[in-house]
Amino acid sequence: MKEPDDQDTDGGKSERSKSDGRQSHSSRSASEPAMKEDYKSVEDTTGETFTEGEESYLGDDESYVEHLEGSSSSSQDDYVESIGNSQYMETPVPDAEEAEEEVKKKISESFFYDYMELASMPFVTPDSDIPLDLLTLVHSFGYDCRKRANLQLLDSNMVLYVAGNQLILLNLKTKEQTYLRSSSGRGIGVIGVHPQKTYFTVAEKGVFPKIIIYEYPSLRPYRILQDGTDLAYAYVDFNCDGTLLASVGGSPDYTLTIWNWKEEQPLLRTKAFSQEVFKVTFNPEDDEQLTTSGSGHIKFWEMALTFTGLKLQGSLGRFGKTATNDIEGYMELPDGKVLSGSEWGNMLLWEGGHIKVELSRAAGKTCHQGPINQIMLDEGEVITIGSDGYVRIWDFETIDTADTIDETGLLEIEPINELQVDKNVRLFSMIKMNEIGNNFWLSQDSNGAIWKLDLSFSNITQDPECLFSFHSGAIEALAVSPLTYLMATTSLDCSVRLYDFASKTPLVQMKFKQGGTALTWVPRRVSNSGAQIIAGFEDGVVRILELYDPEGLTSFVGRKRVSDADICLKQVFKPHTSPVTALAYDRDGEVLATGSKDQTVFFFEVERGYKPIGYITTPGPVCQLTWSTASHPESTLLIICENDYVLEAPFPTIKEEEEDHDVVSYEIKDMCIKCFHFSSIKSQILRLIEIAKRKKQKELKEKEKEERRKSLEAEMGEDGEKELQEEEEEEEEEPLPEIFIPLTPCHILCGFYSGPGKFWVSLGGYDSGFLYHCEFPPYDKSSDITEKKDEPFDFRLLEDTEDNPITAITFSINQEMMFCGMQNGAVRVYILNKNDPSLTNMEDYWHFSMHDNNYGCINAISTSFDDRFLVTAGADSNIFVFNIFSEFELKKVMKAKVPSPRVGIETEPIPEDIEDPKAYSIENARRKREHDKLMKEGEEVKAEKRERIKALRNQLQKLLQMNEELPKHMQFKRTDFDLDSKIRAEIDRKTANKIQRVEKELAWEKEKHQLGLRKLQNRFRDSLESDTIVVHAIQSEHKISSYRLVKSSKYSKSKRPSQSERRASKFERFEKEGTGRKDSQRDTGGSISVPEESIIEKGKKFRPKTLSEIMVESQIEKTRKLILKAERAQMKIQQRKKEWEEMYNSKPGDDYEDPKDVQAIKEAQLYMGDFNLKTAPDYKIPEHMRVNAAKKEEELGHLDSMAYAKKMHMNKCIVSLRDLKVAVIEEIQCLVQELKNIQSTLHVSKHIPIPQIPQIYPEEVPEKRFQYDEETLLAFKRQQMKNQAEMAPRVEKAASAGSAGSFLRLSSGKDGDLTTSDSLSRSSKATVFNLDIPKFMEFERTDPTEVELEIMKRDEIKHLYMQQYLINRIKELIVTFDAELRLLRHRKLKLDTQMKLSDLHHVTLFQEMLLLKNFEKQENILQERVNSLDKEEQDMQWKINETLKEMEEKKNEVAKIQDQEKALYAGFQAALGENNKFANFLMKVLKKRIKRVKKKKVEGDADEDEESDESSEEESSLESDEDESGSEDEVFDDSICPTNCDKGLFELALQLREKRLDIEEALVEEKKVIDNLRKEYDTLSKKVKIVATNLNMAEEALEAYQREKQQRLNELLVVIPLKLHQIEYVVFGEIPSDLSGTLVFSNHSLGRLQERIVQLHEENSQQQKLNKDCRERRKQLIREKREMAKTIQKMEETVNQLMVSKFGRVVNLEALQTLSVNTTLEELKIKKLRKELSNAKEMKMWEEKIAQMRRELMMKTKEHTKKLHQMNDLCTEKKKLDSQLNILQNQQGNAFQGPRKADIVAREKVTELIQVQAERIMALKEEVALLRKKGGLVLPPIHSPQENE
């Protein structure tokens, strides 16, 4: 964004330097010295512009207030309005002295105002900390395209237009916008540009608005003009030299002012008209003449110097006979005449205040279809632009000299040139771009666009270019993406547009049949990528659109990138019948609610493809839908209606499909909906405010009185108190405001939730100025919502919104700021407390006017997903994007991310759109379906009942027939009258036998006559498709006859195959071969074969597998997958190599030319600029126009079939007419019968003559001739016998004629009786009731009573009326039929003419076919020769291709062999290692040439090797080294290994030398094969050239024969009837007698030639442009190729570095990827695994054995322990016995005192046993601990014998 600013640091000087208007002379003279100083200070200032994104609102609040005060205190000049019948209004010219003072007080040329002091600033609540730059304008996406003169040009790149309160300067090249704000803050009325493009004017709106003149390009305010109008300016215009400025005001004053703008002085002022004035302009040739036009008038002004001074005299244009109309566009001619447009599109030439002539186009066409909006004179040509989208150029002299030629006042002229800009374009204004050498214009399209037009009308004229596209009209809805900086808008202009407001770029638009009315972005819970938008339209349709980035789609050859984003239709449905006004998703994204003006809210289930749930009805049109937030306990929908109703609907119940299938309607009737019916409380609020105000004033007065009383008591004592009481008695209090409730409810504009069951609303009309806080009452099913009234429980006063309510509200993410859009286009921001839905603090706010104050109501306002931007959309077509003030610095460059396309979006079928506005809605469709179902069931029931009734009727009829055969007095059956049934049967049998006998006797005669009749029919009747039918008119002598048609000819039935079909061109064959080759390559693509499992392995699947088997199989499967993976990698690498090879093979050469281009160039060289006639000697017949006998026969058949079809159709029409006549006659018969019945009841004197019944002539029913009966045959026999008796030829001739006539008469009479019998029966049935009454009256001879007489009179009147009605009906039928016959007769006459022409053409075609048959034989011979040569050429070309393919394969093999040789040397070099002193010796041994027996043959073919042109290129560098070192081979001996040399390396060198020699032999063999293939290729190439030469000669011979055939065809005479106006070959104004030198040429062909000229010019320019683009593209591709090569090189270096860092050296990645598994190692691993598993089994077996042994050991141990216990007991007992024995021994003697040897041994054994058991226990514990670990076998603990016991 750019804004101008003068950085004047001296506040006082800047304050003094500004001028707030025209000041009085005295004030100027008093401040003259100060003004001079100010001028000096202002001269030093320079204008600067702020770049986009910087602060836009700089300045001081105090200076802003002072500026307002100064402007309000400035003096204003008074002007005088004339009253009465005076023709003009004027202002007095100042006196001479005052004029001299004015000359002295001229404003300095270098004086400028301070823009920052003039520009309007935002209003911020005093004493608040809200910054002035809270919102900063970033970009404007709109354009007020319907504002008059809203497109001005400053230079070739800078345009100027108004957007609300902003003036936008747009750079056409950089698309950069610069903004100037209005000074009044009330909007801008109109703009204008100085003729020299150095100044431009901004005429504003407001109370006494200003005209500010800015200097360009500094954009500094230069002059300010004041007091030119009351409220707004409508138009401004400079005179030709730019010294004067004319302005005209809008309603209510319509003041016309002429300004000396440099001195800021008005020269003249008057009232222009009493109605709206559109335009005012100076005459370019005379500054003293002006013209104004407007609503129903045009007025011509002149500055006249009278005795009282200079005055403006106006003359109103008189329309006279022409209808009064609004004049939008006009132009002053140099001689004073004025050329204007009109509402119906013609031009009016005014002279002397009257219409001289009305100009129109030929044939009564108007100059434009619709109003002419602008007329200009440019380079001697008159240019008009109209609302029909056309620009037409007219001859100036023709218009200037135009005059009437008749009483109509019309003169027909034709434009010189015309240009249709585009469809659906309404041009409003146009300005010329000053580009040297070009005639470019910029045009304002009132349908929302700015066009660049080229009006040069030459062969290089450019097509109209749409520079910018905008919404047209009010923007209805706006939505911002929840994920990125994208927004979508829609309008009634039937478009949905998307913008990237971060990068200031319009992205994409989509057009529809109906206008958009609602829009919202699908939340992320539904579409995670944020790529879906849902829009509602005025026909009730809801469409889901999907946005995506087209870069993410699969790219196709030839596809060009159009834009950064694209949009497609995803789903469409129609829930409503009126405009959709609101769309809302619930907080979980499960349900979509749509509201409409049809007073319904529809719910859809989102997850199931927007399946309808149902709808509810509302008491008024829905204007807003809002779902409750997550803070609410339940999900509810707030429904705001326009007519004071607010509803709260709960979350709808989603039914299953089974429940929903049989429901008749989608209406939800059981939903508990809460309703709030708003009742106005504004008057109560105002009353409370007034009471509080008076209370406060009263308290202040009481305080003042108390102070005064004290002061008076101190001064005057008691007298003071009396005086004070007298003053109190005089004061009276005014009555309080009355309570007022408006009769019509005010509309609710917007609202939002504040809590569960509570909400805020903003209203318009009387209730504006407040925000009302409301709460839903409890749900009451029985209450009537229309009768109850609910009042808000709280409110918030909004300052300065009494007539300017809030229309849209949105909140920031943290709910701390409330952004409000106002009705007058202003933006207001309230600063709120955190988490304060009750809006307790709404005192501080920021307010600024942005959109137009009159019609720029803000319809939508929204913030971006991150609260960085605010977007507003208004009814003035403007869209503004603001930066929201933030402490964090924003990024300088931001761009929205367009969502990537879903996978498969390009292949998805596009849903069928609902374009018919009368299409059924979802509810109506369901009701229609149910209605049709019921109707079908009803019809089935009716049909069943009809069948039953029919059966009953048949039974009844049978009974009636039986009853009719019986006497009336009794009922008997028919069989009762038969005496004997056998007699009747016998008589019937005899009669049948007689008939059979007669038939046998006459069988031969019958067959004879039948054969004769059949032959006659085959000869004369069967070939006839239809016979001639002549239909006569009833009253006139007109008649019409049908065509006597024979069956279609043989030509139209059969089609002989063409013998010489056109050969396919080489390019077509190449395409076929290419596609076939691609298909074959695709079919033969590699496939990976997976080995199948054997039967044994399949059988194993059914057995339970052990763990070991599973482990082995998993290892085998793992190995197999690794092998398969390696094979796949190898195949992928091979496939990739193959693709690279194919791609390189398909790479065209540098000299490659596209066959299509070659063919096109060839055709252009042959046919461009040459329209040869068929009679020309050098005429070459194109292949598609060559004809032969078969094609001509087919053409002849086509002609016959067309003529046959037309005749057949006419015959059907005539037959239908004949049938109509029959029906008319039948109806007339019925009417005549009814007429007779009626006349039988009337007196004879009152009878009207009955019309005669028309008759059917025999020629009208020719098919009746062949219908006969017995009477006809008998009559024919009698006539034949009579003819035989009379031999006289005259009598015989007459008799034959009479017989024919009688035959026809009889047949027709018989037919007439048959045809009229039904009608007579119907008429008799119809009149049976009418005839009953007279019969009864005949029997009654008594005198009728008065009542009967009255009834008779009534019946007589009724019968008279019916008689007249029937007579008129008969006449109407006759007249209608005759009219139909005359119309059809006229059509048949035209068809007869066409049929005669087709007969002539048939003769010509037949002659051509006979001639072509004579040429057919020789032509077939030549064609066969051409075909055989062509086939031979194709075969040889195929062989050449195969040879080239083999050569390429052999070259690849040679390259592989060379690679093997290089690999051999590289491997040997690697084996040598570094710093090997014998490296040179061993390398010489390797390279030494050795003559072998096998190589003699190869060496003998050295001469052939030298012929190869690629041998020198294929020799390796190592071989060249070998040749260079060949002289040194004799020095060393390669048979002995030198000392200290590694023998292994020496042996390796000898082995590799043998391999090298084998490789060289193979290389020589391959080269020989290549040479042989090359020779074969050369031979085939020579043969192809010979065949091609022969083919060309054969084609030339065929062409010569075709030319000869064409010449013979040209000799045939062709009849072409022409009318006189079609003959343009005249000599001296007369048609010559000899027309042999003329040329018959169709208008269509001539038009095509003329169109082709234009097409070729356009094609030429397009090709030049395409060539230029291709060159640029080629340069770009070369640059990209270089950059890509550098990138590849860098990437290769990076890869090599990574390989060195990872592997230590550069490795082959392909070899690394294809490293297969070592199968031997894997098999050994599997064997090892199997061995381990078998060992584990064996270990398990041994462990089981060990466990068994342990158990046995345990048992043994237990047994042993038991024995030890027994032993212990025994030992104890023994011890006791020992002690006893010891005692005894001691007593006996000392013989046994020492220990015994046996005891010692036993003790030792026990001790050893205990030690062994302890060791055993330790071992068992260790084993138990080991087995308790993972993988071990857990054994039960060993219990001691004590525990077991």
Side-chain angles (χ1 to χ4, degrees), residues 288-439:
E288 295 182 355
Q289 293 182 358
L290 296 94
T291 308
T292 60
S293 70
S295 178
H297 79 281
I298 184 171
K299 204 167 185 179
F300 313 102
W301 301 87
E302 186 173 358
M303 299 182 192
L305 186 61
T306 64
F307 64 92
T308 58
L310 189 65
K311 296 189 177 183
L312 264 178
Q313 294 179 348
S315 174
L316 189 65
R318 302 178 185 274
F319 285 92
K321 296 181 181 180
T322 307
T324 304
N325 63 95
D326 299 342
I327 294 180
E328 184 73 46
Y330 64 85
M331 178 192 69
E332 297 90 350
L333 302 183
D335 58 353
K337 294 195 289 289
V338 174
L339 181 67
S340 75
S342 61
E343 288 186 60
W344 55 87
N346 278 345
M347 291 186 287
L348 308 175
L349 186 63
W350 298 82
E351 186 176 21
H354 298 271
I355 296 177
K356 181 181 180 183
V357 65
E358 181 178 350
L359 303 175
S360 67
R361 299 172 69 191
K365 295 181 181 178
T366 56
C367 299
H368 286 272
Q369 296 293 327
I372 298 176
N373 293 325
Q374 191 173 357
I375 305 177
M376 295 157 291
L377 181 63
D378 181 66
E379 298 179 359
E381 295 176 340
V382 177
I383 303 174
T384 60
I385 65 171
S387 297
D388 55 357
Y390 277 89
V391 179
R392 290 192 168 97
I393 313 297
W394 312 82
D395 182 44
F396 171 72
E397 293 185 359
T398 305
I399 294 174
D400 191 28
T401 58
D403 203 350
T404 56
I405 56 176
D406 54 15
E407 294 180 356
T408 61
L410 284 172
L411 179 66
E412 294 181 350
I413 61 173
E414 285 297 319
I416 303 172
N417 287 301
E418 69 175 11
L419 172 67
Q420 183 182 12
V421 178
D422 201 0
K423 295 180 179 178
N424 196 25
V425 168
R426 294 176 60 87
L427 299 180
F428 200 38
S429 67
M430 198 163 67
I431 50 176
K432 188 173 184 180
M433 302 178 69
N434 297 323
E435 292 189 11
I436 300 173
N438 293 321
N439 192 12

Side-chain angles (χ1 to χ4, degrees), residues 1754 1758 1836-1845:
M1754 190 184 297
K1758 286 181 180 180
I1838 301 173
H1839 300 284
S1840 62
Q1842 290 81 2
E1843 291 176 353
N1844 291 334
E1845 293 176 359

